[in-house]
């Protein structure tokens, strides 16, 4: 078994993590105060968006869906042929240290793996060692009133990157497709938008998966439309809906299905579950958060608020 390089500013017991230096950021074995948390300009994560990441929630000091997030980031490292030098146990221990150092009870972890420092050319094999970065802090993606009232989204003109070009299931550091679509949304006066696949199916939004409710049933497009295999999406499909006795089905959705839906909602680690009450100019259902999304949101809060063991 490999041993994780001890954080040079560890241990916690030494009382080194003073609150005024928070957030502390873990970079390649060092726990650094915010002011010193810096990366090299030669890092291919910066030069080329070459790397991958995870957004992970912490509820009651527990890492929510840790195994699923680790599965995804290790799988993505493999797909990118980035050699990971930390074991999953070491990664988990490191995230726990970040939670402690930052005094988090409920919060958000951003875990990044970059190709590491290399030369100015593209060649990834000139980067001898990947860089691992962990930021543990707070996140508020949407204002609180959007959770009670629902949000308006648009359909972006820009389609999702086709799977054959850059598979959207790869949570890479290259988010320009999403950022450009997000700018369309902001220009249109909202914060999120549907990104259609090139063949016109409703895939996902810039940072969230999308579901509709029709006739009491929850529907979402299958992953092969081209989207991120969201951890929250999987939780809604595999745990939340079954527990609440709500029928769920994967079906290829078009914009017309979304605008004709009784309810629409988005899911994501940072967003959690949030109702969409308007798509472009079209009001969804009553124009308020619907009964089913309300139940799902309450069910979600219930589960993450329990002292359930980490998976
Ligand atoms: N789609 C995209 C493009 C995302 O970036 C994210 C995560 N922010 C999601 C969907 C939701 O995935 P998860 O539930 O794993 O956070």
């Amino acid at each position: 078994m490999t041993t994780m390089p001890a954080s040079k500013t560890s241990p916690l017991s030494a009382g080194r993590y003073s609150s005024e230096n928070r957030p502390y950021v873990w970079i390649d074995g060092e726990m650094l105060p915010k002011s010193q948390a810096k990366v090299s300009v030669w890092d291919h994560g910066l030069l080329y968006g070459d790397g991958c990441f995870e957004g992970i929630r912490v509820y009651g000091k527990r890492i929510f869906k840790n195994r699923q997030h680790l599965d995804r980031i290790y799988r993505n490292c493999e797909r990118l042929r980035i050699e990971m030098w930390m074991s999953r146990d070491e990664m988990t221990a490191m995230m726990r240290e970040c939670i402690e150092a930052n005094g988090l009870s409920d919060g958000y972890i951003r875990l990044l793996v970059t190709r590491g420092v290399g030369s100015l050319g593209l060649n990834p094999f000139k980067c001898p060692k990947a860089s691992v970065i962990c930021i543990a802090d707070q996140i508020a993606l949407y204002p609180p009133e959007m959770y009670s009232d629902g949000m308006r989204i648009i359909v972006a003109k820009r389609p999702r990157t086709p799977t054959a070009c850059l598979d959207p299931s790869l949570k890479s550091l290259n988010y320009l497709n999403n950022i450009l679509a997000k700018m369309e949304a902001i220009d249109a006066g909202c914060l999120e938008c549907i990104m259609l696949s090139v063949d016109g199916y409703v895939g996902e939004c810039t940072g969230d998966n999308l579901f509709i409710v029709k006739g009491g049933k929850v529907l979402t497009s299958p992953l092969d439309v081209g989207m991120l295999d969201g951890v929250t999406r999987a939780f809604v499909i595999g745990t939340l809906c079954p527990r609440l006795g709500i029928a769920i089905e994967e079906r290829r959705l078009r914009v017309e299905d979304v605008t004709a839906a009784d309810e629409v909602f988005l899911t994501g680690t940072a967003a959690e579950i949030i109702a969409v009450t308007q798509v472009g100019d079209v009001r969804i259902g009553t124009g308020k958060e619907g009964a089913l999304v309300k139940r799902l949101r309450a069910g979600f809060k219930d589960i993450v608020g329990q002292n359930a063991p980490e998976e």
Side-chain angles (χ1 to χ4, degrees), residues 100-145:
E100 286 302 322
N102 290 299
L104 289 185
S105 177
D106 292 340
Y108 177 85
I109 289 175
R110 177 61 60 88
L111 186 60
L112 297 95
V113 181
T114 79
R115 181 79 59 184
V117 171
S119 57
L120 276 184
L122 255 75
N123 190 343
F125 305 117
K126 289 194 172 168
C127 305
K129 195 180 179 202
S131 212
V132 179
I133 300 169
C134 181
I135 309 165
D137 202 2
Q138 299 294 337
I139 193 164
L141 214 53
Y142 305 120
E145 59 274 16

Side-chain angles (χ1 to χ4, degrees), residues 69 72 160 171 175 178 204-209 228-233 267-269:
H69 286 290
R72 193 164 64 184
R160 193 76 177 93
K171 198 168 169 61
Y175 253 54
N178 312 51
E204 60 184 340
C205 294
T206 66
D208 308 306
N209 291 110
L228 186 72
D229 182 2
V231 169
T232 323
R233 177 186 184 276
T267 66
T269 296

Side-chain angles (χ1 to χ4, degrees), residues 211-220 236-237 240-250 265 292 295-296:
F211 292 78
I212 69 168
V213 179
K214 191 71 184 172
K217 192 185 238 185
V218 171
L219 301 164
T220 193
V236 166
I237 295 173
L240 202 52
C241 284
R243 274 205 204 174
L244 297 175
I246 298 167
I248 169 106
E249 190 186 308
E250 284 187 336
F265 63 96
L292 209 138
R295 274 181 70 203
L296 287 170

Side-chain angles (χ1 to χ4, degrees), residues 275-294:
V276 171
T277 45
Q278 200 176 326
V279 178
D281 298 332
V282 182
R283 199 181 69 176
I284 305 298
T286 60
K288 298 217 162 59
E289 181 187 36
L292 209 138
V293 178
K294 207 183 273 289

